[in-house]
Amino acid sequence: MVATKEHCFYCFDVLLAHLRREPTPAPRFHNEAFPLFVTWNMIKYGEKELRGCIGSFRPLPLIQGLKQFALNSALEDSRFPPINLAETPYLSCAVSLLINFEEADNYLDWEIGKHGIWIEFKNTDGKKNTATYLPEVMPEQGWTKEETIQSLLRKGAFRGPITPEVCQSIKLTRYQSSKMEVTRQEYDQARGL
């Protein structure tokens, strides 16, 4: 299974219907189950800026999962204010279906540009935490593997010094992603708006 434009179009259907208080149109794709993420970006003056990204590693039927995370990522990503209707002409939506999960041998056993990574680690208080980056994050940020791990630990609320021992204690799972992204203009054309 690969992510398709229709998956992204459905996320726009869901968000626009919610913001306009209208019923959501029926989806136009099969309802297989996948771990997935929905990412909203704002595109203005040729610059792309993240506006929300939330998903699930638990496989969900696509219709339910895309509907849930189209709204969660647009309205409930704690890093950003909720997306409003006035912003929607400048949005793009990306759907990432996560595939090929493998437990890595160590915290550096993955490839930049190929793998997303999900880490489990113990915080300074002994509590177990997790964090993830999708495969495209590292190349977009220009990070090395070590910079990625440091950023991911901070994203996952690790507050202590990042020592070699901390890095070696990480349990890392690598995965791949089938990703598709469309702009609001592509959505409008496809839906005849």
Side-chain angles (χ1 to χ4, degrees):
M1 180 70 174
V2 296
T4 67
K5 288 186 177 187
E6 196 55 48
H7 296 139
C8 300
F9 294 155
Y10 181 64
C11 291
F12 268 111
D13 286 342
V14 168
L15 178 61
L16 291 170
H18 174 82
L19 293 173
R20 294 173 177 157
R21 294 179 167 77
E22 299 172 352
T24 302
R28 304 175 188 180
F29 50 83
H30 297 290
N31 199 23
E32 296 141 298
F34 281 91
L36 59 90
F37 276 73
V38 176
T39 304
W40 295 102
N41 288 299
M42 179 74 66
I43 302 173
K44 277 192 170 181
Y45 312 111
E47 296 290 320
K48 188 191 284 191
E49 183 179 315
L50 182 64
R51 281 294 279 117
C53 181
I54 298 179
S56 172
F57 280 96
R58 184 172 47 96
L60 296 169
L62 284 176
I63 294 169
Q64 171 198 341
L66 292 177
K67 186 172 189 175
Q68 177 182 344
F69 290 107
L71 292 177
N72 287 358
S73 62
L75 307 173
E76 297 177 16
D77 188 324
S78 61
R79 299 171 291 178
F80 308 101
I83 291 173
N84 62 57
L85 192 57
E87 294 176 282
T88 61
Y90 307 102
L91 290 178
S92 72
C93 178
V95 168
S96 299
L97 304 182
L98 309 184
I99 55 176
N100 300 333
F101 286 82
E102 304 170 301
E103 190 170 321
D105 291 334
N106 60 62
Y107 75 101
L108 296 176
D109 183 22
W110 55 280
E111 293 178 43
I112 293 175
K114 178 179 180 181
H115 295 115
I117 58 174
W118 180 67
I119 63 170
E120 295 178 59
F121 59 92
K122 286 191 178 174
N123 213 328
T124 52
D125 61 4
K127 283 175 57 177
K128 189 180 196 180
N129 284 0
T130 63
T132 192
Y133 280 139
L134 296 173
E136 60 271 12
V137 171
M138 291 69 87
E140 286 174 359
Q141 297 299 319
W143 290 335
T144 65
K145 288 183 180 184
E146 291 81 3
E147 290 169 330
T148 300
I149 294 297
Q150 291 174 10
S151 175
L152 203 47
L153 284 165
R154 295 299 183 215
K155 179 183 177 188
F158 185 83
R159 299 295 177 239
I162 300 174
T163 64
E165 293 77 26
V166 168
C167 292
Q168 290 164 7
S169 72
I170 290 170
K171 179 183 175 195
L172 187 140
T173 301
R174 62 185 183 213
Y175 58 89
Q176 295 176 30
S177 172
S178 172
K179 181 183 175 185
M180 177 59 65
E181 184 168 8
V182 300
T183 64
R184 172 66 191 272
Q185 291 73 25
E186 291 172 295
Y187 167 81
D188 288 348
Q189 279 184 328
R191 294 296 194 247
L193 302 174

